[in-house]
Amino acid sequence: MKIQKETKTNTTIFQTNMLSQIISDRLHVGASNSHVYTPEFFRLNKENDRKKLEALLTENSSVVVYDTLMAQLKQLVRTAHPKKTLTTAETESLVLNHLKGTPIEEYGVWVYYPWSSKVVHILDENEFINLRSNRNKYKITEAESQLLAQKKVGVIGLSVGQSVSVTLAMERAFGELRIADFDDLEITNLNRLRSGIHNMGLLKTVLVAREIAEIDPFLKVVCFHEGITEKNIGQFLEQDGKLDVLIDECDSIDIKILSRIEAKKRQIPVLMEASDRATIDVERFDLDPNRPIIHGWLDHLEINFEVLKNLKTSEEKVPYMLPISGVETLSPRMKASALEVGESIVTWPQLASAVALGGGITADICRRILLDQFHQSGRYFVDIEELIGDPKETKTFVDEAATIAPLNRETSLALVAPFVKNDNNPISQNTAKQIVEAALLAPSAGNNQPWKWHFDGNSLWLLHDLHRSVSFGDFRSMASYVALGAAIENAALKADELGFQTEVIPFPNGGWKNPFAQLKFSKNTGKTPVSELVNFIQPRHTNRADGNGQPIPQAVFDEMHALIDGLGARFIHLSQPDQLEKMANLIGTSERLRIFITEGHFELFQKELRWDNEQAVKSRDGLDLNTFELSIAEHIGLRLARDPQVVDYLHQWDAGTGLERLSRRSVKTSSAVGILTIPEFESERLLNAGRALERIWLLATKHGIAFQPMLAPILHFVRILKSENSQIKPDIETRFLKLYDDFVTTSGLARETELPVFLFRLGYANEPDVKSFRLPIEDVYYS
């Protein structure tokens, strides 16, 4: 038995090796003509051609012959008699007259395609062109056809470029076509390039040239197999005559820009199609030689080819890609897809339907430019989904803040008036103002500054301006009450510095109602352990920069615990690597889920974020994007996610994990995560939690520790836990509940007796260059 097994094994090896050798031989044969893309012509009325074709067919039995010349001749004579429907007999008679005694095998030309081992018998050039383009007539007149036959078109990049090139060839819209691409056909190209799987590994230039030759062997195609380089761009644009139109469909930023610079020098118009919304760019450098490239959208950047060709990372390329691609005008599905690049896909998606459409549109525009029928420059869209689609559902979203009148001087005074008493007041107008100025530097969710202050000559009154804070995220004003508590802490610290102690009388009108608090002052009897924190009110800020992971001394945490003793809030800090990893994942996921909620998306992108310095200076509230320490790619990611439709797609696909990256990284580079909890959800507890928060933050500032709130998990946990109907989509609520289980396990908080009300990260990081603005005191303080 052993011998039989060995014999069988050896036979298998022998057979396998023999098959491998055969395969290897055949691969070599295939490779020998891998750059061949021009056919051979044989006219049998020439003796030499007859002998060559005879030898080819004799020596190569694999060559297949196709002869439909008689059918072509019949079509030819029919097209010559358009006014009459010819009978079969009449057609055959006309064909015989047309041949004039020439043997049919000698009529026309035999075309050999060496790459496919096929010989095809067709009409010769003039008759072939006339018959093949017969159905073009009047869409393209005879005179126009003759003009187009003199034109030279160049195409760089052969994805959309293949569709454009083949369409131009089918219409015979050029006399010479130059195509450039360095890449081979890969399997991932086959979702949009028309080709067979046997062509994988073949140069795209060869693939396209062969396809055109098989449609029309008389068309001139010149291939630049190495693609376009700084060295050959001049040759591509003007060797054997200057191009009449350049079509750019390449992916390389440097080549896109280089080709335009060189085309502009030579006054060659440039077209580009983007395969999304059929976005077409037309740059008529022939009519406007001084026109800036890419419509002037790159004028703010340095256009240096030495710099451009060395761009490697997305961060380096994005400033150039952004104006070229037009991020704001991409389709919502493409924007959503772009957010998945580097997450669940490796590059931008393209569809065959979009490529085919773009190829057709670009070919049409190219033909009209060549015929002097179109003269404009600009960016154009042919958005099929907009042109042919169901009526768009109009989503009406009412911002609750619009239904609540803002507090002003009159309404504030009216709310305070019932509680004002003429007490003996030891503070002056100037002192009251200094105290309020310190209070206004307190933190608030989204920097919404939800306060109004009034000095009645005796006491300071703090009011909650619900118009500024009401939001889906601020369930029952939890975040606002914490912010108002932090403002009270700042006021008390400043009063202490000025020689006064503060008595805080919360909710004189009952919990959850205005006025929020009355602050009464008396002469100070001495400093307290928290007194020195006043020195850090002004420099306190949010720091969103990545940390360096340096541990925070335990003594600092001990000091934080001691400072909030007696305020009824508990401080939990997590600093172990596994804890930070879990919290990073939890916070990142929460940030993503937040924007999947319609209200959450609206509040972040429309109410909180200030997209440029002009917005930030004008409003003096909200979150200035310049404080986020974002990379260029992260900034663009936010701009893409600003579109509600984009987020709807990400939600449908359970995608968008790239939106978690910033928060995850921030937490992972931190030294610790801090949590503040209270024993019950009650208004005064939230006020005191705000005071505790501010003490911890000010102490962190004292020790040079960066502090950043991370509220997305907490705000949604509380809404779900403390409401009968959270109004959160069921699938998202389920995920938040799972995150809350993880949060409880990781933090160790007592599920039944503690409620988290604030979450933040601590660490050591570089100071930010930009800090948030504050509302002018005259807008929020009345005396």
Side-chain angles (χ1 to χ4, degrees), residues 166-329:
V166 172
T167 304
L168 288 169
M170 292 171 73
E171 292 187 358
R172 272 199 147 260
F174 59 81
E176 178 184 328
L177 180 69
R178 297 175 200 160
I179 54 177
D181 199 315
F182 63 86
D183 213 355
D184 297 339
L185 181 70
E186 299 175 338
I187 190 170
T188 53
N189 299 136
L190 293 176
N191 78 315
R192 62 195 185 280
L193 267 71
R194 294 169 293 190
S195 186
I197 56 176
H198 60 285
N199 283 325
M200 286 190 291
L202 192 66
L203 282 166
K204 290 179 182 176
T205 44
V206 173
L207 175 70
V208 173
R210 286 179 178 180
E211 186 175 2
I212 291 173
E214 289 171 356
I215 293 168
D216 189 334
F218 303 108
L219 283 169
K220 181 180 179 181
V221 179
V222 180
C223 292
F224 284 66
H225 302 306
E226 70 277 21
I228 293 300
T229 66
E230 190 176 9
K231 291 182 179 179
N232 71 9
I233 182 68
Q235 179 185 359
F236 183 80
L237 294 176
E238 59 186 357
Q239 181 173 286
D240 298 326
K242 186 177 76 171
L243 290 182
D244 295 287
V245 171
L246 172 64
I247 299 171
D248 162 36
E249 297 298 342
C250 72
D251 296 326
S252 303
I253 297 297
D254 56 332
I255 299 304
K256 281 189 176 296
I257 294 174
L258 173 67
S259 63
R260 281 166 173 77
I261 291 172
E262 297 300 320
K264 179 178 176 178
K265 287 179 185 176
R266 296 165 175 83
Q267 298 183 30
I268 299 171
V270 178
L271 300 180
M272 179 178 72
E273 198 281 331
S275 296
D276 180 64
R277 301 182 66 206
T279 305
I280 309 284
D281 284 287
V282 184
E283 297 171 85
R284 295 302 302 268
F285 299 124
D286 55 328
L287 302 179
D288 183 3
N290 296 318
R291 180 180 181 80
I293 66 170
I294 313 290
H295 315 299
W297 297 335
L298 296 179
D299 286 357
H300 63 292
L301 297 169
E302 179 185 7
I303 307 299
N304 182 319
F305 189 73
E306 288 302 314
V307 173
L308 292 171
K309 69 183 180 182
N310 290 311
L311 300 177
K312 303 297 182 186
T313 67
S314 295
E315 287 296 306
E316 294 170 332
K317 294 177 181 178
V318 159
Y320 300 91
M321 290 170 57
L322 182 60
I324 293 173
S325 63
V327 167
E328 304 297 347
T329 55

Side-chain angles (χ1 to χ4, degrees), residues 617-634:
V617 170
K618 183 178 180 180
S619 69
R620 305 198 70 81
D621 63 3
L623 303 177
D624 184 348
L625 212 55
N626 292 318
T627 69
F628 276 53
E629 304 290 328
L630 298 178
S631 67
I632 295 173
E634 288 165 344

Side-chain angles (χ1 to χ4, degrees), residues 559-574:
E559 193 176 355
M560 289 176 175
H561 284 284
L563 280 177
I564 68 169
D565 187 41
L567 288 175
R570 185 163 86 100
F571 169 47
I572 302 169
H573 72 272
L574 310 173

Side-chain angles (χ1 to χ4, degrees), residues 78-86:
R78 288 192 186 111
T79 60
H81 298 80
K83 294 182 179 181
K84 185 178 180 182
T85 302
L86 299 174

Side-chain angles (χ1 to χ4, degrees), residues 561-754:
H561 284 284
L563 280 177
I564 68 169
D565 187 41
L567 288 175
R570 185 163 86 100
F571 169 47
I572 302 169
H573 72 272
L574 310 173
S575 55
Q576 295 302 311
D578 63 322
Q579 294 174 322
L580 293 177
E581 177 76 24
K582 290 175 181 176
M583 293 303 291
N585 295 335
L586 187 151
I587 292 169
T589 303
S590 297
E591 293 283 2
R592 177 168 64 102
L593 293 178
R594 175 198 179 180
I595 67 169
F596 286 175
I597 300 168
T598 303
E599 295 86 351
H601 183 275
F602 173 82
E603 287 164 5
L604 175 62
F605 289 98
Q606 302 301 322
K607 292 186 68 174
E608 292 182 13
L609 290 179
R610 301 293 176 262
W611 294 89
D612 54 41
N613 187 62
E614 182 180 353
Q615 264 193 344
V617 170
K618 183 178 180 180
S619 69
R620 305 198 70 81
D621 63 3
L623 303 177
D624 184 348
L625 212 55
N626 292 318
T627 69
F628 276 53
E629 304 290 328
L630 298 178
S631 67
I632 295 173
E634 288 165 344
H635 185 99
I636 291 172
L638 273 180
R639 287 177 61 181
L640 292 170
R642 190 178 184 179
D643 185 338
Q645 287 182 273
V646 169
V647 175
D648 285 346
Y649 280 125
L650 295 175
H651 184 201
Q652 291 172 30
W653 306 337
D654 192 23
T657 53
L659 299 171
E660 303 175 4
R661 191 184 306 136
L662 180 62
S663 294
R664 287 177 184 266
R665 188 183 70 234
S666 295
V667 176
K668 287 179 180 179
T669 61
S670 298
S671 305
V673 166
I675 305 165
L676 275 178
T677 73
I678 55 177
E680 57 183 325
F681 194 70
E682 189 269 327
S683 57
E684 193 167 345
R685 296 279 191 184
L686 291 170
L687 181 157
N688 285 328
R691 299 193 69 174
L693 162 69
E694 185 69 344
R695 290 183 186 183
I696 290 172
W697 201 330
L698 294 173
L699 184 66
T701 304
K702 171 187 173 182
H703 289 287
I705 297 170
F707 188 112
Q708 181 189 357
M710 311 290 281
L711 293 180
I714 300 297
L715 298 178
H716 294 88
F717 292 163
V718 172
R719 170 172 280 276
I720 292 168
L721 294 171
K722 292 297 177 181
S723 63
E724 293 182 3
N725 177 9
S726 71
Q727 299 178 306
I728 295 174
K729 297 170 186 176
D731 64 311
I732 298 176
E733 179 173 311
T734 298
R735 297 188 68 174
F736 268 121
L737 286 171
K738 174 61 172 64
L739 290 174
Y740 185 63
D741 288 340
D742 297 340
F743 181 83
V744 170
T745 301
T746 303
S747 66
L749 67 80
R751 185 189 292 267
E752 301 301 324
T753 58
E754 281 187 286

Side-chain angles (χ1 to χ4, degrees), residues 357-386:
L357 175 66
I361 291 171
T362 307
D364 180 274
I365 295 171
C366 177
R367 183 187 69 248
R368 289 188 288 125
I369 288 174
L370 293 172
L371 294 174
D372 196 30
Q373 297 171 352
F374 176 62
H375 309 92
Q376 302 302 307
S377 293
R379 173 165 284 179
Y380 303 88
F381 303 92
V382 185
D383 192 326
I384 293 299
E385 288 190 35
E386 285 187 4

